Amino acid sequence: GSLVQLSQSNAHKTLLWEVSGRGLSKPSYFLGTMHVLCPEDAFLSESVHKILDSASEIYFEIDLDNMALMLAAMGSMTMRNDTLLSDLMAESDYMELEAFFSGKFPLPFGMLKRMKPMLLAGMLSEQMLPCKAGSGTEMLLSEEAGKRKIPTKGLETPAFQFGIFDSIPYAYQAQELLKAVRQDGMQPGDSGTVSQMLAAYQAQDLGQIEKLTISEEAGLKGYLDLLIYNRNKNWVKQFEGIAQHGSFLFAVGAGHLPGEDGVLQLLAKKGYSLKPLVNVKP
C-alpha cells in the first residue's frame, strides 16, 4: 500500500509513525516493536524519548506491568479439556519434542505439555536469538514509563491474547510446533525466520516485515485474520477513542503496522495523517 511505499522512499526506513489530523488536538504515535530482542538490539531512539516527554500514557498490546491480569491469564495458556501434547501426535514425535525441550526452559516438560503448542513455539523463537538474555522494546519502554511515572495500559488482556489460540485446532498447532522444532534444530543465528525477522526489524523495513509476517505465519495463512488483521481493526477503533484525550504512544508488534489491513493503512483510510519519524539507535 501507499504508506509502505512512503516509508520505503523515505531515506530513513522507520517503525515510528506520527498520527495526527481528524480533529485530534495533539498527535499520537505508533512504534513497531519486536517482543523479544537481544539487549544490544533493543533501544529507544531520541524521537521516542521526546514523545515520552509529553505522552499521557503508553499503550502496549497487553499491559505487562499488570501482574493480576497476567496471573488471571495463566489458565488460558493451557489447552482446554485437559488436552496434552501427547494426545495430538504420534508417540515418536512426542518423544522428539520432549528430548528437544528438556533442559531448554526452567519449566519441567510436565508443565509444558499442557500448554497451547503455539505458545510453546513462541517460547522457542526466543531460544533462537543469538544471545542469552532477551529484552524487548516493551521492556525498555516499561522501565522508562516507571522512571517518568507515565501510566501503561494494554489494548488487550493477556487472557484474550492466549485465548486466540483456542480458535486454531490444537492438532494443527502441534504439527506447526514440530515443524518449528525440526527447522530450529539448526544452531541459533542460522538464517531461520527469527534471524531474518531480526534483520528486517533492525533495518526498520516495513515491506520486508510484512513479507516475513505473512510467510512466518505461513502455516497460519488461514488464521492471519485472527492473529493480526482483526486485532488491528480493533486497535484502530480503540485508538479513535483514546487519542482524543491527549498524546499517546502505542507500542505494538511491528508486523501489525504494514500492509493493506495494517494499522497504518487503516488509520490513513479513516482520514488521519501519517508521518514517518526518524527512529535511529542512539
Side-chain angles (χ1 to χ4, degrees):
S2 54
L3 281 172
V4 169
Q5 270 130 30
L6 175 62
S7 89
Q8 303 306 27
S9 60
N10 192 343
H12 297 281
K13 296 186 170 157
T14 183
L15 296 174
L16 182 64
W17 292 74
E18 180 186 271
V19 187
S20 61
R22 264 205 83 189
L24 294 183
S25 58
K26 296 179 178 160
S28 279
Y29 304 87
F30 267 90
L31 173 65
T33 67
M34 198 157 158
H35 302 316
V36 185
L37 288 164
C38 293
E40 63 273 19
D41 290 320
F43 69 90
L44 300 180
S45 66
E46 206 178 307
S47 304
V48 169
H49 278 285
K50 257 201 206 88
I51 289 165
L52 293 178
D53 286 340
S54 56
S56 323
E57 287 171 335
I58 300 173
Y59 272 83
F60 296 111
E61 291 183 25
I62 53 177
D63 183 3
L64 300 163
D65 291 335
N66 190 328
M67 277 324 287
L69 281 178
M70 291 303 268
L71 288 170
M74 289 312 246
S76 324
M77 294 180 78
T78 53
M79 292 185 276
R80 293 181 173 171
N81 309 325
D82 293 326
T83 307
L84 300 173
L85 274 176
S86 50
D87 302 332
L88 301 171
M89 59 186 72
E91 193 180 354
S92 57
D93 290 341
Y94 180 73
M95 313 262 302
E96 182 184 342
L97 274 189
E98 188 166 20
F100 181 86
F101 276 104
S102 73
K104 273 208 171 48
F105 295 107
L107 296 173
F109 194 69
M111 285 177 73
L112 298 179
K113 66 182 183 190
R114 299 177 176 280
M115 275 178 77
K116 295 173 187 172
M118 285 193 56
L119 292 176
L120 279 178
M123 286 162 64
L124 181 64
S125 64
E126 268 175 56
Q127 291 287 312
M128 294 316 292
L129 287 169
C131 59
K132 270 287 154 266
S135 154
T137 322
E138 281 88 351
M139 224 181 276
L140 293 181
L141 277 171
S142 237
E143 285 165 14
E144 200 54 42
K147 277 185 219 154
R148 295 165 176 260
K149 312 244 183 304
I150 303 171
T152 59
K153 291 195 171 159
L155 290 163
E156 298 170 343
T157 64
F160 170 83
Q161 241 185 31
F162 300 146
I164 293 174
F165 299 114
D166 289 320
S167 309
I168 301 175
Y170 295 149
Y172 177 79
Q173 292 184 41
Q175 289 313 306
E176 289 299 306
L177 174 62
L178 269 170
K179 243 190 259 175
V181 161
R182 287 171 181 155
Q183 232 174 350
D184 288 345
M186 310 186 292
Q187 288 314 301
D190 280 359
S191 60
T193 329
V194 175
S195 49
Q196 286 181 334
M197 189 54 109
L198 191 56
Y201 178 81
Q202 286 166 328
Q204 304 197 43
D205 184 337
L206 280 174
Q208 184 62 7
I209 287 171
E210 183 184 13
K211 276 198 201 89
L212 285 169
T213 301
I214 292 171
S215 70
E216 155 74 9
E217 318 286 359
L220 302 167
K221 276 270 193 319
Y223 300 107
L224 280 175
D225 277 348
L226 195 68
L227 292 165
I228 300 188
Y229 305 129
N230 295 350
R231 295 167 66 208
N232 292 351
K233 290 189 185 106
N234 176 15
W235 297 349
V236 165
K237 220 183 256 144
Q238 290 188 60
F239 172 89
E240 297 198 80
I242 295 164
Q244 293 168 14
H245 305 291
S247 181
F248 298 83
L249 175 61
F250 295 82
V252 300
H256 290 278
L257 298 188
E260 228 10 76
D261 294 303
V263 165
L264 300 177
Q265 286 287 40
L266 292 176
L267 287 166
K269 282 181 202 148
K270 287 192 178 284
Y272 291 99
S273 306
L274 282 103
K275 187 169 109 189
L277 302 179
V278 176
N279 183 45
V280 291
K281 201 171 174 174

